[in-house]
Amino acid sequence: MYTAVIPVRKGSRRLPGKNTAPFADSNLLIYKIEQLKKVPQITRIVVTSDCDDMLAMGRAQGVDTHKRAIEYCDEKTKTFGEVVAHVAESVEGENIIWATCTSPLVEPHHYADAIDQYEIELKNGYDSLMSVEEFRRYIWTKEGPLNYELGIKHVPSQELEPLYRVTDGILIAPRAKMIEWMYFHGTNPFMYKMDKKSSIDIDDIYDLECAKAWFHV
């Protein structure tokens, strides 16, 4: 059994009203619910939030809801790990898919394929699955170059060792393990690679406008 959890809350510092921002003739939350309904392996969808309006949107779409107390949403009273464990304890299902509505270009076929891959990779020794975007860029820390050398040893970016950005678009793990780890993936996750378009994660107005533009491509 796969339970898809859509975590949303009232506050957003960088983009107020982010989770219900207009998108695809509805809004990000409703659109994500519609996407998840098309994934055959998902048996339950749960909107978890402190916001009564968002919970009402979930119920209107015919999915389950979980009302979170404010301390599990204010990003200061409880740690993020405590929030993940609390949500996992509050829903049913053998496996949880953490499906953020701020990744609107993760489509049903992505979820379905990721679930199939997850089942294969558990047998290969991985403990969970997380979506990533592979990239090759020149990266610096305050101490200097992180992944390349200056001068004669400089190499073209396409020859750099790949790095991986966690997109938070798809995160899958056994529900019991999420509770144990107090996190949505383990220490040995399978990195499920996604392209630049599907990897977009909306944090601000620029991301939102990019997602809207990509949606129409």
Side-chain angles (χ1 to χ4, degrees), residues 105-154:
L105 303 182
V106 179
E107 299 290 354
H109 69 89
H110 293 124
Y111 291 110
D113 183 65
I115 291 170
D116 288 344
Q117 194 69 46
Y118 166 76
E119 294 181 352
I120 292 170
E121 300 305 337
L122 284 183
K123 296 174 183 176
N124 290 332
Y126 293 95
D127 58 18
S128 50
L129 178 147
M130 67 180 185
S131 58
V132 299
E133 179 190 2
E134 181 180 297
F135 68 97
R136 289 174 169 83
R137 295 287 187 272
Y138 302 115
I139 306 296
W140 277 57
T141 68
K142 290 185 289 186
E143 283 71 40
L146 178 67
N147 63 335
Y148 72 103
E149 296 184 55
L150 303 177
I152 196 169
K153 293 185 177 181
H154 179 92

Short mmCIF file of all heavy atoms in Angstrom, two decimals, residues 105-154:
data_model
loop_
_atom_site.label_atom_id
_atom_site.label_comp_id
_atom_site.label_asym_id
_atom_site.label_seq_id
_atom_site.Cartn_x
_atom_site.Cartn_y
_atom_site.Cartn_z
N LEU A 105 5.51 19.83 -11.71
CA LEU A 105 5.87 19.19 -12.97
C LEU A 105 6.36 17.76 -12.77
O LEU A 105 6.84 17.12 -13.71
CB LEU A 105 6.89 20.04 -13.72
CG LEU A 105 6.40 21.47 -14.00
CD1 LEU A 105 7.44 22.26 -14.79
CD2 LEU A 105 5.07 21.47 -14.74
N VAL A 106 6.23 17.25 -11.55
CA VAL A 106 6.37 15.81 -11.32
C VAL A 106 5.02 15.20 -11.68
O VAL A 106 4.02 15.40 -11.00
CB VAL A 106 6.73 15.51 -9.85
CG1 VAL A 106 6.83 14.00 -9.64
CG2 VAL A 106 8.03 16.19 -9.47
N GLU A 107 4.98 14.49 -12.77
CA GLU A 107 3.73 14.01 -13.34
C GLU A 107 3.39 12.59 -12.87
O GLU A 107 4.25 11.90 -12.31
CB GLU A 107 3.82 14.04 -14.87
CG GLU A 107 4.05 15.44 -15.45
CD GLU A 107 2.84 16.35 -15.32
OE1 GLU A 107 1.77 15.89 -14.88
OE2 GLU A 107 2.97 17.54 -15.67
N PRO A 108 2.17 12.13 -13.10
CA PRO A 108 1.78 10.78 -12.68
C PRO A 108 2.73 9.69 -13.16
O PRO A 108 3.03 8.75 -12.40
CB PRO A 108 0.38 10.62 -13.30
CG PRO A 108 -0.17 12.01 -13.31
CD PRO A 108 1.01 12.89 -13.64
N HIS A 109 3.22 9.79 -14.38
CA HIS A 109 4.12 8.74 -14.88
C HIS A 109 5.44 8.73 -14.12
O HIS A 109 6.08 7.67 -13.97
CB HIS A 109 4.35 8.87 -16.39
CG HIS A 109 5.15 10.05 -16.80
ND1 HIS A 109 6.52 10.02 -16.90
CD2 HIS A 109 4.78 11.32 -17.15
CE1 HIS A 109 6.97 11.20 -17.30
NE2 HIS A 109 5.95 12.01 -17.46
N HIS A 110 5.87 9.89 -13.61
CA HIS A 110 7.08 9.93 -12.80
C HIS A 110 6.86 9.15 -11.50
O HIS A 110 7.71 8.35 -11.09
CB HIS A 110 7.48 11.37 -12.46
CG HIS A 110 7.91 12.19 -13.62
ND1 HIS A 110 7.33 13.40 -13.95
CD2 HIS A 110 8.88 11.98 -14.54
CE1 HIS A 110 7.91 13.90 -15.01
NE2 HIS A 110 8.86 13.05 -15.40
N TYR A 111 5.75 9.43 -10.82
CA TYR A 111 5.46 8.73 -9.57
C TYR A 111 5.35 7.22 -9.79
O TYR A 111 5.91 6.42 -9.02
CB TYR A 111 4.15 9.23 -8.96
CG TYR A 111 4.20 10.63 -8.42
CD1 TYR A 111 3.53 11.67 -9.06
CD2 TYR A 111 4.91 10.93 -7.26
CE1 TYR A 111 3.56 12.97 -8.57
CE2 TYR A 111 4.95 12.23 -6.76
CZ TYR A 111 4.27 13.24 -7.42
OH TYR A 111 4.31 14.52 -6.93
N ALA A 112 4.63 6.83 -10.84
CA ALA A 112 4.44 5.40 -11.11
C ALA A 112 5.78 4.72 -11.38
O ALA A 112 6.06 3.62 -10.86
CB ALA A 112 3.49 5.22 -12.30
N ASP A 113 6.62 5.35 -12.17
CA ASP A 113 7.93 4.78 -12.48
C ASP A 113 8.81 4.75 -11.24
O ASP A 113 9.54 3.77 -11.00
CB ASP A 113 8.60 5.58 -13.59
CG ASP A 113 9.94 4.98 -14.00
OD1 ASP A 113 9.94 3.86 -14.53
OD2 ASP A 113 10.98 5.63 -13.77
N ALA A 114 8.77 5.80 -10.42
CA ALA A 114 9.58 5.86 -9.21
C ALA A 114 9.17 4.76 -8.23
O ALA A 114 10.03 4.15 -7.58
CB ALA A 114 9.45 7.23 -8.54
N ILE A 115 7.87 4.49 -8.12
CA ILE A 115 7.40 3.42 -7.24
C ILE A 115 7.92 2.07 -7.73
O ILE A 115 8.40 1.25 -6.93
CB ILE A 115 5.87 3.42 -7.16
CG1 ILE A 115 5.38 4.66 -6.40
CG2 ILE A 115 5.36 2.15 -6.48
CD1 ILE A 115 3.88 4.88 -6.48
N ASP A 116 7.84 1.83 -9.02
CA ASP A 116 8.36 0.57 -9.58
C ASP A 116 9.86 0.44 -9.28
O ASP A 116 10.35 -0.63 -8.90
CB ASP A 116 8.12 0.51 -11.09
CG ASP A 116 6.67 0.29 -11.44
OD1 ASP A 116 5.88 -0.11 -10.55
OD2 ASP A 116 6.31 0.54 -12.62
N GLN A 117 10.59 1.55 -9.46
CA GLN A 117 12.03 1.54 -9.22
C GLN A 117 12.32 1.33 -7.74
O GLN A 117 13.25 0.60 -7.36
CB GLN A 117 12.64 2.86 -9.69
CG GLN A 117 14.16 2.85 -9.81
CD GLN A 117 14.65 1.95 -10.93
OE1 GLN A 117 14.14 1.98 -12.04
NE2 GLN A 117 15.65 1.13 -10.64
N TYR A 118 11.54 1.96 -6.89
CA TYR A 118 11.69 1.82 -5.44
C TYR A 118 11.59 0.36 -5.02
O TYR A 118 12.40 -0.14 -4.22
CB TYR A 118 10.61 2.66 -4.76
CG TYR A 118 10.37 2.42 -3.29
CD1 TYR A 118 11.26 2.90 -2.33
CD2 TYR A 118 9.23 1.74 -2.86
CE1 TYR A 118 11.02 2.70 -0.97
CE2 TYR A 118 8.98 1.55 -1.51
CZ TYR A 118 9.87 2.03 -0.57
OH TYR A 118 9.62 1.83 0.77
N GLU A 119 10.61 -0.35 -5.55
CA GLU A 119 10.42 -1.75 -5.19
C GLU A 119 11.61 -2.61 -5.64
O GLU A 119 12.02 -3.54 -4.93
CB GLU A 119 9.12 -2.27 -5.78
CG GLU A 119 7.89 -1.59 -5.16
CD GLU A 119 6.58 -2.11 -5.71
OE1 GLU A 119 6.62 -2.89 -6.69
OE2 GLU A 119 5.52 -1.76 -5.15
N ILE A 120 12.18 -2.27 -6.77
CA ILE A 120 13.37 -2.98 -7.26
C ILE A 120 14.57 -2.68 -6.37
O ILE A 120 15.30 -3.58 -5.95
CB ILE A 120 13.68 -2.59 -8.72
CG1 ILE A 120 12.59 -3.11 -9.66
CG2 ILE A 120 15.06 -3.11 -9.14
CD1 ILE A 120 12.69 -2.57 -11.07
N GLU A 121 14.76 -1.39 -6.05
CA GLU A 121 15.97 -0.99 -5.34
C GLU A 121 15.96 -1.38 -3.87
O GLU A 121 17.02 -1.54 -3.26
CB GLU A 121 16.19 0.52 -5.49
CG GLU A 121 16.35 1.00 -6.93
CD GLU A 121 17.47 0.28 -7.68
OE1 GLU A 121 18.39 -0.25 -7.03
OE2 GLU A 121 17.41 0.24 -8.93
N LEU A 122 14.78 -1.56 -3.27
CA LEU A 122 14.74 -2.09 -1.91
C LEU A 122 15.39 -3.47 -1.86
O LEU A 122 16.10 -3.82 -0.91
CB LEU A 122 13.30 -2.18 -1.40
CG LEU A 122 12.61 -0.87 -0.97
CD1 LEU A 122 11.22 -1.19 -0.43
CD2 LEU A 122 13.42 -0.12 0.09
N LYS A 123 15.16 -4.26 -2.89
CA LYS A 123 15.73 -5.61 -2.96
C LYS A 123 17.24 -5.55 -3.23
O LYS A 123 17.96 -6.52 -2.97
CB LYS A 123 15.05 -6.42 -4.06
CG LYS A 123 13.57 -6.67 -3.80
CD LYS A 123 12.90 -7.34 -4.98
CE LYS A 123 11.40 -7.51 -4.74
NZ LYS A 123 10.70 -8.08 -5.92
N ASN A 124 17.71 -4.42 -3.75
CA ASN A 124 19.14 -4.25 -4.03
C ASN A 124 19.89 -3.61 -2.86
O ASN A 124 21.08 -3.28 -2.99
CB ASN A 124 19.32 -3.39 -5.29
CG ASN A 124 18.90 -4.11 -6.55
OD1 ASN A 124 18.95 -5.34 -6.62
ND2 ASN A 124 18.49 -3.36 -7.56
N GLY A 125 19.21 -3.41 -1.75
CA GLY A 125 19.90 -2.91 -0.57
C GLY A 125 19.67 -1.45 -0.22
O GLY A 125 20.14 -0.99 0.83
N TYR A 126 18.98 -0.72 -1.08
CA TYR A 126 18.66 0.67 -0.74
C TYR A 126 17.50 0.68 0.26
O TYR A 126 16.71 -0.26 0.34
CB TYR A 126 18.27 1.45 -2.00
CG TYR A 126 19.42 1.64 -2.97
CD1 TYR A 126 19.61 0.76 -4.03
CD2 TYR A 126 20.31 2.69 -2.81
CE1 TYR A 126 20.67 0.92 -4.91
CE2 TYR A 126 21.37 2.87 -3.69
CZ TYR A 126 21.55 1.98 -4.73
OH TYR A 126 22.60 2.15 -5.60
N ASP A 127 17.41 1.76 1.04
CA ASP A 127 16.38 1.81 2.08
C ASP A 127 15.23 2.76 1.77
O ASP A 127 14.23 2.80 2.51
CB ASP A 127 16.99 2.17 3.44
CG ASP A 127 17.73 3.51 3.44
OD1 ASP A 127 17.51 4.33 2.53
OD2 ASP A 127 18.53 3.73 4.37
N SER A 128 15.34 3.52 0.69
CA SER A 128 14.33 4.52 0.36
C SER A 128 14.64 5.06 -1.04
O SER A 128 15.57 4.59 -1.70
CB SER A 128 14.36 5.67 1.39
OG SER A 128 15.69 6.16 1.57
N LEU A 129 13.87 6.03 -1.46
CA LEU A 129 14.09 6.66 -2.77
C LEU A 129 13.92 8.17 -2.65
O LEU A 129 13.00 8.64 -1.95
CB LEU A 129 13.13 6.10 -3.81
CG LEU A 129 13.19 6.68 -5.23
CD1 LEU A 129 12.86 5.60 -6.28
CD2 LEU A 129 12.24 7.87 -5.41
N MET A 130 14.80 8.92 -3.29
CA MET A 130 14.65 10.37 -3.34
C MET A 130 14.93 10.85 -4.75
O MET A 130 15.82 10.34 -5.43
CB MET A 130 15.58 11.08 -2.35
CG MET A 130 17.05 10.97 -2.64
SD MET A 130 18.05 11.84 -1.40
CE MET A 130 19.70 11.67 -2.12
N SER A 131 14.16 11.81 -5.21
CA SER A 131 14.37 12.36 -6.55
C SER A 131 15.50 13.39 -6.50
O SER A 131 15.63 14.15 -5.55
CB SER A 131 13.09 13.01 -7.08
OG SER A 131 12.63 14.03 -6.21
N VAL A 132 16.31 13.36 -7.54
CA VAL A 132 17.46 14.27 -7.63
C VAL A 132 17.57 14.81 -9.05
O VAL A 132 17.06 14.22 -10.00
CB VAL A 132 18.78 13.57 -7.25
CG1 VAL A 132 18.74 13.07 -5.81
CG2 VAL A 132 19.12 12.44 -8.22
N GLU A 133 18.25 15.92 -9.14
CA GLU A 133 18.64 16.47 -10.44
C GLU A 133 20.16 16.42 -10.52
O GLU A 133 20.85 16.98 -9.66
CB GLU A 133 18.16 17.90 -10.61
CG GLU A 133 18.58 18.52 -11.94
CD GLU A 133 18.32 20.01 -12.03
OE1 GLU A 133 17.84 20.60 -11.05
OE2 GLU A 133 18.61 20.60 -13.11
N GLU A 134 20.67 15.74 -11.52
CA GLU A 134 22.12 15.68 -11.71
C GLU A 134 22.61 16.96 -12.37
O GLU A 134 21.96 17.49 -13.27
CB GLU A 134 22.47 14.47 -12.58
CG GLU A 134 23.96 14.29 -12.84
CD GLU A 134 24.25 13.09 -13.72
OE1 GLU A 134 23.95 11.96 -13.29
OE2 GLU A 134 24.75 13.29 -14.85
N PHE A 135 23.74 17.46 -11.91
CA PHE A 135 24.29 18.65 -12.55
C PHE A 135 25.81 18.65 -12.46
O PHE A 135 26.40 17.95 -11.62
CB PHE A 135 23.72 19.93 -11.93
CG PHE A 135 24.14 20.20 -10.51
CD1 PHE A 135 25.19 21.06 -10.23
CD2 PHE A 135 23.48 19.59 -9.45
CE1 PHE A 135 25.59 21.31 -8.92
CE2 PHE A 135 23.85 19.84 -8.14
CZ PHE A 135 24.92 20.70 -7.88
N ARG A 136 26.41 19.40 -13.33
CA ARG A 136 27.86 19.59 -13.33
C ARG A 136 28.12 21.09 -13.41
O ARG A 136 27.92 21.71 -14.45
CB ARG A 136 28.50 18.86 -14.52
CG ARG A 136 28.50 17.34 -14.39
CD ARG A 136 29.02 16.70 -15.67
NE ARG A 136 29.28 15.27 -15.52
CZ ARG A 136 28.37 14.32 -15.63
NH1 ARG A 136 27.10 14.65 -15.88
NH2 ARG A 136 28.69 13.05 -15.48
N ARG A 137 28.53 21.66 -12.29
CA ARG A 137 28.81 23.09 -12.20
C ARG A 137 30.05 23.30 -11.36
O ARG A 137 30.40 22.47 -10.52
CB ARG A 137 27.63 23.84 -11.56
CG ARG A 137 26.34 23.82 -12.38
CD ARG A 137 26.43 24.72 -13.60
NE ARG A 137 25.15 24.84 -14.28
CZ ARG A 137 24.72 24.02 -15.23
NH1 ARG A 137 25.48 22.99 -15.58
NH2 ARG A 137 23.55 24.20 -15.82
N TYR A 138 30.69 24.43 -11.56
CA TYR A 138 31.85 24.78 -10.75
C TYR A 138 31.35 25.32 -9.41
O TYR A 138 30.70 26.35 -9.36
CB TYR A 138 32.71 25.82 -11.46
CG TYR A 138 33.20 25.38 -12.82
CD1 TYR A 138 32.80 26.02 -13.99
CD2 TYR A 138 34.08 24.29 -12.94
CE1 TYR A 138 33.25 25.60 -15.23
CE2 TYR A 138 34.53 23.88 -14.19
CZ TYR A 138 34.11 24.54 -15.33
OH TYR A 138 34.56 24.12 -16.56
N ILE A 139 31.67 24.60 -8.33
CA ILE A 139 31.15 24.93 -7.01
C ILE A 139 32.28 25.39 -6.09
O ILE A 139 33.35 24.78 -6.03
CB ILE A 139 30.45 23.70 -6.37
CG1 ILE A 139 29.37 23.15 -7.30
CG2 ILE A 139 29.86 24.08 -5.01
CD1 ILE A 139 28.24 24.09 -7.58
N TRP A 140 32.01 26.49 -5.38
CA TRP A 140 32.94 27.01 -4.39
C TRP A 140 32.34 26.98 -3.00
O TRP A 140 31.13 27.10 -2.82
CB TRP A 140 33.30 28.47 -4.72
CG TRP A 140 34.38 28.65 -5.74
CD1 TRP A 140 34.40 28.16 -7.02
CD2 TRP A 140 35.60 29.37 -5.57
NE1 TRP A 140 35.55 28.54 -7.66
CE2 TRP A 140 36.31 29.30 -6.80
CE3 TRP A 140 36.15 30.09 -4.52
CZ2 TRP A 140 37.54 29.90 -6.99
CZ3 TRP A 140 37.39 30.70 -4.70
CH2 TRP A 140 38.08 30.61 -5.93
N THR A 141 33.20 26.81 -1.99
CA THR A 141 32.86 27.11 -0.60
C THR A 141 33.66 28.36 -0.22
O THR A 141 34.39 28.92 -1.06
CB THR A 141 33.24 25.95 0.34
OG1 THR A 141 34.67 25.84 0.41
CG2 THR A 141 32.64 24.64 -0.15
N LYS A 142 33.56 28.78 1.03
CA LYS A 142 34.35 29.94 1.47
C LYS A 142 35.85 29.65 1.42
O LYS A 142 36.66 30.58 1.36
CB LYS A 142 33.95 30.33 2.90
CG LYS A 142 32.57 30.93 2.99
CD LYS A 142 32.26 31.41 4.39
CE LYS A 142 32.06 30.26 5.34
NZ LYS A 142 31.62 30.71 6.68
N GLU A 143 36.20 28.36 1.41
CA GLU A 143 37.62 27.99 1.37
C GLU A 143 38.17 27.91 -0.05
O GLU A 143 39.37 27.82 -0.25
CB GLU A 143 37.82 26.64 2.07
CG GLU A 143 37.80 26.72 3.59
CD GLU A 143 36.41 27.00 4.12
OE1 GLU A 143 35.44 26.42 3.58
OE2 GLU A 143 36.29 27.80 5.07
N GLY A 144 37.28 27.92 -1.06
CA GLY A 144 37.76 27.83 -2.43
C GLY A 144 36.98 26.82 -3.24
O GLY A 144 35.88 26.41 -2.85
N PRO A 145 37.52 26.40 -4.39
CA PRO A 145 36.82 25.45 -5.25
C PRO A 145 36.55 24.13 -4.53
O PRO A 145 37.43 23.61 -3.84
CB PRO A 145 37.77 25.25 -6.43
CG PRO A 145 38.68 26.44 -6.41
CD PRO A 145 38.82 26.81 -4.97
N LEU A 146 35.36 23.60 -4.72
CA LEU A 146 34.97 22.36 -4.06
C LEU A 146 35.20 21.15 -4.95
O LEU A 146 35.64 20.10 -4.47
CB LEU A 146 33.49 22.43 -3.65
CG LEU A 146 32.90 21.18 -2.99
CD1 LEU A 146 33.55 20.95 -1.63
CD2 LEU A 146 31.39 21.30 -2.86
N ASN A 147 34.92 21.29 -6.23
CA ASN A 147 34.92 20.10 -7.09
C ASN A 147 35.79 20.24 -8.34
O ASN A 147 35.62 19.49 -9.30
CB ASN A 147 33.49 19.76 -7.51
CG ASN A 147 32.84 20.86 -8.33
OD1 ASN A 147 33.22 22.02 -8.23
ND2 ASN A 147 31.85 20.49 -9.14
N TYR A 148 36.72 21.19 -8.33
CA TYR A 148 37.64 21.31 -9.46
C TYR A 148 38.88 22.07 -8.98
O TYR A 148 38.93 22.57 -7.86
CB TYR A 148 36.99 22.03 -10.63
CG TYR A 148 36.76 23.53 -10.44
CD1 TYR A 148 37.60 24.47 -11.05
CD2 TYR A 148 35.72 23.99 -9.65
CE1 TYR A 148 37.39 25.83 -10.88
CE2 TYR A 148 35.50 25.35 -9.48
CZ TYR A 148 36.34 26.27 -10.08
OH TYR A 148 36.13 27.62 -9.91
N GLU A 149 39.89 22.11 -9.84
CA GLU A 149 41.14 22.79 -9.50
C GLU A 149 41.37 23.96 -10.44
O GLU A 149 40.96 23.94 -11.61
CB GLU A 149 42.32 21.81 -9.60
CG GLU A 149 42.24 20.67 -8.60
CD GLU A 149 43.47 19.79 -8.65
OE1 GLU A 149 44.59 20.32 -8.51
OE2 GLU A 149 43.32 18.57 -8.85
N LEU A 150 42.00 24.98 -9.92
CA LEU A 150 42.31 26.17 -10.71
C LEU A 150 43.56 25.94 -11.55
O LEU A 150 44.35 25.04 -11.30
CB LEU A 150 42.51 27.38 -9.80
CG LEU A 150 41.36 27.73 -8.85
CD1 LEU A 150 41.76 28.91 -7.96
CD2 LEU A 150 40.09 28.04 -9.62
N GLY A 151 43.74 26.79 -12.54
CA GLY A 151 44.96 26.75 -13.32
C GLY A 151 44.98 25.66 -14.38
O GLY A 151 43.96 25.33 -14.99
N ILE A 152 46.14 25.06 -14.56
CA ILE A 152 46.33 24.12 -15.66
C ILE A 152 45.47 22.86 -15.53
O ILE A 152 45.18 22.18 -16.52
CB ILE A 152 47.83 23.75 -15.78
CG1 ILE A 152 48.12 23.10 -17.15
CG2 ILE A 152 48.25 22.85 -14.63
CD1 ILE A 152 49.60 22.95 -17.44
N LYS A 153 45.03 22.55 -14.31
CA LYS A 153 44.22 21.34 -14.10
C LYS A 153 42.72 21.59 -14.28
O LYS A 153 41.92 20.68 -14.09
CB LYS A 153 44.48 20.76 -12.71
CG LYS A 153 45.88 20.20 -12.54
CD LYS A 153 46.04 19.53 -11.20
CE LYS A 153 47.42 18.91 -11.07
NZ LYS A 153 47.59 18.22 -9.76
N HIS A 154 42.37 22.81 -14.64
CA HIS A 154 40.96 23.12 -14.87
C HIS A 154 40.42 22.25 -16.01
O HIS A 154 41.09 22.03 -17.01
CB HIS A 154 40.82 24.61 -15.25
CG HIS A 154 39.41 25.02 -15.54
ND1 HIS A 154 38.58 25.52 -14.58
CD2 HIS A 154 38.70 25.01 -16.70
CE1 HIS A 154 37.41 25.81 -15.12
NE2 HIS A 154 37.46 25.50 -16.41
#
